[in-house]
Amino acid sequence: MSRGVSKLLMRRVYLPDGSGSSRFLRASGSMLVGAAVVAAAFWGYPVIAFAALATVSLGAILSMRWRVGVLAARLAELARVDPRTSRWQTLDDAIGLLEDRIRSSEDRLDQRHALTGLPTREPLLARMASEGAGTLGLIALGDFDRLCAFDPALADRALKHFAERITRMVGDGRMVAHVDRSHFALWLGASVSSEDAERQLVAISYALGDVMHEEGRELVPEVRVHHTAWAAPQEAATATLARLIAACAAGPEGPLHVQRVDAASAAAERDRYALEQDLRGALHNGEFALRYQPQVDAASGQVIGAEALLRWHNPARGMVSPTLFIPILESAGMIEEVGLWVLNAACREARAWHRLGQGPLTVAVNVSAHQLDRPDIHTLIKRTLERHSLRAGLLEIELTESAAAADVGRAERLFEALHGLGIHIAIDDFGTGFSSLSALRALAFDKIKIDRQFVTEVERRRDSQAICQSIIALARGLGIRVLAEGVERQEEYLWLRRHGCSEFQGYYFSPPLGGAEFQAFVRNPAPLRDRLVLDARQVQTTLSQRLAR
């Protein structure tokens, strides 16, 4: 029976409350009862049956009237419409709105992406809801936005080709949906274990990384793959999909990257985000401070300077490790602002050291690769020196080996400009950057710092010994100074001192100190000399004992 006919019957027969049909029903019922009473008076008892039938009919009509009223109120609540004066109007509005919603939902379930022809997220979410549990994979073409910047048509062709590759590899038995600009979701049901799903996704990611040919151009796609287990009682399907897309956007870049997204990774990302938010207010709230770790010259027995180290004390978190917050400062784009603050604070402190009368003390400040991207970095450093009236020769800029060798031409121009000002340059963490010697030969730097991973237990590790001896020989051949950092034990100091290293930094001599503590350390050289001056017999005995173990 059609919806229109159903409406007509309900209007004509059942519905009350002021409509013409309901008034007709009430009048007819009243006339029927009256007729029954009159008939009973003239013809006797048989007519009473007719009166009873009429009464029952009227009662049925009134009952139906009440039930339709309840139905109208319930549908109005489901459809979220305001009840009308007429219950029929309420029911009509509710049925019409619900019918539109069902039709719209059916349209969304049939929706496909205009470019790739793949189902969109609504069919995917419906499939997940129907199965209740499984593994959801997310595959992203990382190059898409980059291609859109200069050739949108090429980007669309590459994305379509990418989608065709996915569907060919997955086959007809698995559902692939185009859920975002360059993100495709692959639904692996409950029949596939998490381990098997990860293996399949790794294989897919490798296959997707093959060269694509688009109108004579070769494109090597950047593929990112994330996946997570999902179960309906634990999390809504929409939330799981959103979490995967966010993880893909925030995850490490690079081809063939496959990462499992689970509760632990989600919690880690949540903590990282919270840490980033705290960092954004740290500088304004005065939560950063500098500590100065002394650098000593064993030959002269004196402190020759200090490295400025950034520390962060958050009121809620306490002291936060630099290994946690420095990478976030860099990735969040805050390192330039914080780096400028460090440079100013270090130069201000170094200016105060001149009043000690202990000879020139240099302050070493780390500069990140992000700061090197500034074309005016040398001008900024020059202005900072002038602002604090600090002689350029008392500032030492430290760069990591990898940052210096990433763009040799840029680094060479920067080194030349800094040397023109009289600023010294040190290569930090030397030996860890895997840079070529030809690249480093082009850069005129003043000091090499041996990384602490080669210094730790150097007296017993032959591989570290070979590396340290090579670095010391390289520095001697280049005519530059060498400093061992991270020295924490006497045995490490003795071995390095014996093999030609004379400058040191580490907890064996002193932990990082506040400005006033550093000045007190410089004014009282006796404890330092006790650690530096050892008679030859003691040196030989200690080394022999350690090497014999």
Side-chain angles (χ1 to χ4, degrees), residues 119-437:
T120 56
R121 66 174 63 201
E122 284 77 14
L124 169 71
L125 297 174
R127 177 76 169 269
M128 293 173 65
S130 66
E131 298 190 16
T135 298
L136 180 63
L138 192 75
I139 305 170
L141 176 62
D143 309 89
F144 181 71
D145 288 333
R146 196 177 308 160
L147 290 173
C148 283
F150 63 87
D151 194 338
L154 175 61
D156 285 346
R157 292 195 300 271
L159 189 65
K160 187 175 181 180
H161 189 172
F162 192 72
E164 291 170 352
R165 279 189 175 184
I166 296 174
T167 52
R168 282 199 305 269
M169 282 183 283
V170 171
D172 297 332
R174 300 259 171 77
M175 183 173 189
V176 180
H178 193 162
V179 295
D180 201 46
R181 279 171 58 85
S182 59
H183 295 76
F184 301 89
L186 172 59
W187 174 245
L188 302 169
S191 60
V192 181
S193 67
S194 296
E195 291 72 18
D196 288 341
E198 183 164 0
R199 283 192 290 268
Q200 292 179 30
L201 289 168
V202 168
I204 289 173
S205 68
Y206 273 96
L208 289 174
D210 290 341
V211 176
M212 294 192 301
H213 298 275
E214 294 293 337
E215 296 185 355
R217 302 181 64 170
E218 289 189 351
L219 301 176
V220 181
E222 179 187 316
V223 184
R224 302 178 195 171
V225 181
H226 288 63
H227 65 97
T228 186
W230 175 79
Q234 298 174 1
E235 187 178 42
T238 52
T240 300
L241 179 60
R243 184 159 54 86
L244 270 183
I245 294 174
C248 193
E253 297 184 0
L256 306 181
H257 175 69
V258 178
Q259 178 177 331
R260 176 178 295 180
V261 179
D262 51 19
S265 61
E269 184 59 32
R270 183 170 56 251
D271 292 344
R272 178 184 173 88
Y273 179 79
L275 195 65
E276 179 182 328
Q277 297 306 306
D278 289 343
L279 272 171
R280 292 190 182 279
L283 188 59
H284 176 74
N285 297 330
E287 297 173 12
F288 287 128
L290 290 185
R291 294 293 180 267
Y292 303 90
Q293 187 163 40
Q295 296 177 339
V296 301
D297 181 6
S300 64
Q302 294 181 340
V303 178
I304 56 176
E307 180 182 0
L309 301 172
L310 181 62
R311 295 293 183 262
W312 177 32
H313 182 272
N314 180 264
R317 300 175 183 271
M319 292 299 299
V320 183
S321 171
T323 58
L324 289 177
F325 72 82
I326 294 293
I328 296 178
L329 284 176
E330 293 179 342
S331 63
M334 296 183 281
I335 193 63
E336 287 191 27
E337 182 181 9
V338 176
L340 181 60
W341 178 87
V342 170
L343 181 64
N344 275 278
C347 289
R348 187 185 307 113
E349 181 65 30
R351 183 73 181 90
W353 294 347
H354 287 286
R355 295 190 291 269
L356 297 178
Q358 301 291 325
L361 295 171
T362 62
V363 60
V365 177
N366 289 276
V367 175
S368 73
H370 294 272
Q371 292 173 273
L372 290 182
D373 289 335
R374 292 187 57 142
D376 61 340
I377 180 66
H378 66 284
T379 304
L380 186 148
I381 294 174
K382 177 183 178 183
R383 291 175 180 172
T384 304
L385 291 171
E386 293 172 350
R387 182 181 304 116
H388 299 286
S389 301
L390 182 68
R391 184 161 55 88
L394 300 180
L395 175 63
E396 185 172 84
I397 297 297
E398 290 192 3
L399 304 170
T400 62
E401 179 185 358
S402 55
D407 187 339
V408 176
R410 179 190 62 182
E412 189 174 6
R413 291 189 296 272
L414 175 62
F415 282 24
E416 183 179 353
L418 294 179
H419 279 138
L421 298 174
I423 297 171
H424 299 294
I425 302 170
I427 299 296
D428 197 12
D429 302 335
F430 192 84
T432 63
F434 305 105
S435 57
S436 65
L437 293 178

